[in-house]
Amino acid sequence: MTHPRAPAEQPVLPRNVGTTTLPPRSHRLTLPAAEITVPIARHTVMGILGHWGLPGTSDAAATVELVLSELITNAVRHSRETTARVTVSLEAWADGMVQLGIGDDNPGVPSARRVSPDAENGRGLAMAELLAAELGGDIAMERHPDGSKTVWAYFPGILAPAGFSPPPLAHGTPRQTAGAAA
């Protein structure tokens, strides 16, 4: 089964992505399509997930951080010529599901590709797919009517189920992880 706006080979996301129904917790961040965006996005998203209850030292946090780094790096690298910005969307659902979306205006379709063992790049999306699968999740693409796209990673059950409602995130809240480099 495929998402109605995704190519046939893309998996379906477990939620109604792109609808007006908002998840219980969400955050959106728009950043320039520049290399400095990668650590800013990583620091911000991991700080928010820590605030939402994902321990920064957990294996799940490390996996989400790697997937985020790969997806945001791909968006920045491949969209610099077509867009001036990338959008990071973070959603947490009542059942503990976390969805991470990286959007850009580049009309190209990201795809995992085979590369030679000595290639210096080209493994990012394949690695992100494997890492998401380790947590029971997946990667999918949503195409928007304006030609832009969002690549979504979803991670089921990595947060505490509904009932946990953290206080609002204060502006400038520091990241809640130990020993991680930003």
Side-chain angles (χ1 to χ4, degrees), residues 31-42 76 80:
L31 296 165
E35 289 182 22
I36 189 65
T37 292
V38 177
I40 292 169
R42 192 172 56 234
V76 166
R80 266 191 237 167

mmCIF file of all heavy atoms in Angstrom, residues 31-42 76 80:
data_model
loop_
_atom_site.group_PDB
_atom_site.id
_atom_site.type_symbol
_atom_site.label_atom_id
_atom_site.label_comp_id
_atom_site.label_asym_id
_atom_site.label_seq_id
_atom_site.Cartn_x
_atom_site.Cartn_y
_atom_site.Cartn_z
ATOM 1 N N LEU A 31 14.510 26.360 8.603
ATOM 2 C CA LEU A 31 15.922 26.747 8.661
ATOM 3 C C LEU A 31 16.458 26.974 7.256
ATOM 4 O O LEU A 31 15.900 26.456 6.281
ATOM 5 C CB LEU A 31 16.730 25.630 9.337
ATOM 6 C CG LEU A 31 16.394 25.353 10.793
ATOM 7 C CD1 LEU A 31 16.980 24.013 11.232
ATOM 8 C CD2 LEU A 31 16.908 26.468 11.668
ATOM 9 N N PRO A 32 17.568 27.713 7.134
ATOM 10 C CA PRO A 32 18.171 27.900 5.810
ATOM 11 C C PRO A 32 18.752 26.580 5.295
ATOM 12 O O PRO A 32 19.161 25.722 6.077
ATOM 13 C CB PRO A 32 19.282 28.922 6.065
ATOM 14 C CG PRO A 32 19.582 28.818 7.514
ATOM 15 C CD PRO A 32 18.312 28.395 8.184
ATOM 16 N N ALA A 33 18.770 26.401 3.991
ATOM 17 C CA ALA A 33 19.373 25.220 3.380
ATOM 18 C C ALA A 33 20.884 25.439 3.334
ATOM 19 O O ALA A 33 21.459 25.736 2.290
ATOM 20 C CB ALA A 33 18.798 24.978 1.991
ATOM 21 N N ALA A 34 21.505 25.333 4.505
ATOM 22 C CA ALA A 34 22.946 25.561 4.645
ATOM 23 C C ALA A 34 23.515 24.526 5.611
ATOM 24 O O ALA A 34 22.788 23.972 6.438
ATOM 25 C CB ALA A 34 23.197 26.972 5.180
ATOM 26 N N GLU A 35 24.808 24.273 5.512
ATOM 27 C CA GLU A 35 25.436 23.244 6.351
ATOM 28 C C GLU A 35 25.232 23.487 7.847
ATOM 29 O O GLU A 35 25.099 22.538 8.608
ATOM 30 C CB GLU A 35 26.918 23.131 6.019
ATOM 31 C CG GLU A 35 27.157 22.502 4.665
ATOM 32 C CD GLU A 35 28.623 22.339 4.338
ATOM 33 O OE1 GLU A 35 29.448 22.318 5.267
ATOM 34 O OE2 GLU A 35 28.929 22.225 3.145
ATOM 35 N N ILE A 36 25.168 24.721 8.282
ATOM 36 C CA ILE A 36 24.974 25.030 9.703
ATOM 37 C C ILE A 36 23.629 24.530 10.208
ATOM 38 O O ILE A 36 23.417 24.340 11.403
ATOM 39 C CB ILE A 36 25.145 26.548 9.961
ATOM 40 C CG1 ILE A 36 25.178 26.861 11.449
ATOM 41 C CG2 ILE A 36 24.030 27.335 9.289
ATOM 42 C CD1 ILE A 36 26.350 26.295 12.186
ATOM 43 N N THR A 37 22.707 24.279 9.297
ATOM 44 C CA THR A 37 21.378 23.790 9.659
ATOM 45 C C THR A 37 21.418 22.413 10.317
ATOM 46 O O THR A 37 20.619 22.129 11.200
ATOM 47 C CB THR A 37 20.487 23.754 8.398
ATOM 48 O OG1 THR A 37 20.267 25.105 8.010
ATOM 49 C CG2 THR A 37 19.176 23.066 8.627
ATOM 50 N N VAL A 38 22.340 21.559 9.917
ATOM 51 C CA VAL A 38 22.375 20.184 10.434
ATOM 52 C C VAL A 38 22.549 20.159 11.951
ATOM 53 O O VAL A 38 21.718 19.581 12.657
ATOM 54 C CB VAL A 38 23.442 19.337 9.709
ATOM 55 C CG1 VAL A 38 23.530 17.940 10.307
ATOM 56 C CG2 VAL A 38 23.130 19.275 8.214
ATOM 57 N N PRO A 39 23.576 20.787 12.531
ATOM 58 C CA PRO A 39 23.686 20.738 13.996
ATOM 59 C C PRO A 39 22.570 21.512 14.709
ATOM 60 O O PRO A 39 22.151 21.128 15.807
ATOM 61 C CB PRO A 39 25.062 21.332 14.293
ATOM 62 C CG PRO A 39 25.452 22.078 13.066
ATOM 63 C CD PRO A 39 24.742 21.430 11.921
ATOM 64 N N ILE A 40 22.076 22.587 14.095
ATOM 65 C CA ILE A 40 20.982 23.337 14.720
ATOM 66 C C ILE A 40 19.735 22.458 14.808
ATOM 67 O O ILE A 40 19.081 22.379 15.853
ATOM 68 C CB ILE A 40 20.692 24.642 13.948
ATOM 69 C CG1 ILE A 40 21.858 25.616 14.092
ATOM 70 C CG2 ILE A 40 19.388 25.268 14.421
ATOM 71 C CD1 ILE A 40 21.773 26.814 13.166
ATOM 72 N N ALA A 41 19.393 21.799 13.716
ATOM 73 C CA ALA A 41 18.216 20.915 13.708
ATOM 74 C C ALA A 41 18.399 19.771 14.696
ATOM 75 O O ALA A 41 17.479 19.433 15.457
ATOM 76 C CB ALA A 41 17.982 20.377 12.302
ATOM 77 N N ARG A 42 19.568 19.167 14.698
ATOM 78 C CA ARG A 42 19.841 18.041 15.602
ATOM 79 C C ARG A 42 19.698 18.483 17.054
ATOM 80 O O ARG A 42 19.021 17.829 17.859
ATOM 81 C CB ARG A 42 21.249 17.507 15.310
ATOM 82 C CG ARG A 42 21.538 16.193 15.967
ATOM 83 C CD ARG A 42 22.856 15.605 15.488
ATOM 84 N NE ARG A 42 23.966 16.517 15.698
ATOM 85 C CZ ARG A 42 24.816 16.905 14.757
ATOM 86 N NH1 ARG A 42 24.685 16.484 13.528
ATOM 87 N NH2 ARG A 42 25.801 17.716 15.040
ATOM 88 N N VAL A 76 19.589 19.390 2.809
ATOM 89 C CA VAL A 76 20.453 20.567 2.613
ATOM 90 C C VAL A 76 21.319 20.376 1.368
ATOM 91 O O VAL A 76 21.404 21.260 0.514
ATOM 92 C CB VAL A 76 21.321 20.824 3.866
ATOM 93 C CG1 VAL A 76 22.448 21.801 3.571
ATOM 94 C CG2 VAL A 76 20.451 21.314 5.017
ATOM 95 N N ARG A 80 19.937 22.924 -2.022
ATOM 96 C CA ARG A 80 20.563 24.245 -2.018
ATOM 97 C C ARG A 80 20.319 25.032 -3.290
ATOM 98 O O ARG A 80 20.160 26.233 -3.264
ATOM 99 C CB ARG A 80 22.067 24.114 -1.811
ATOM 100 C CG ARG A 80 22.455 24.250 -0.387
ATOM 101 C CD ARG A 80 23.934 24.369 -0.280
ATOM 102 N NE ARG A 80 24.363 23.291 0.586
ATOM 103 C CZ ARG A 80 25.586 22.907 0.742
ATOM 104 N NH1 ARG A 80 26.541 23.492 0.093
ATOM 105 N NH2 ARG A 80 25.880 21.937 1.552
#
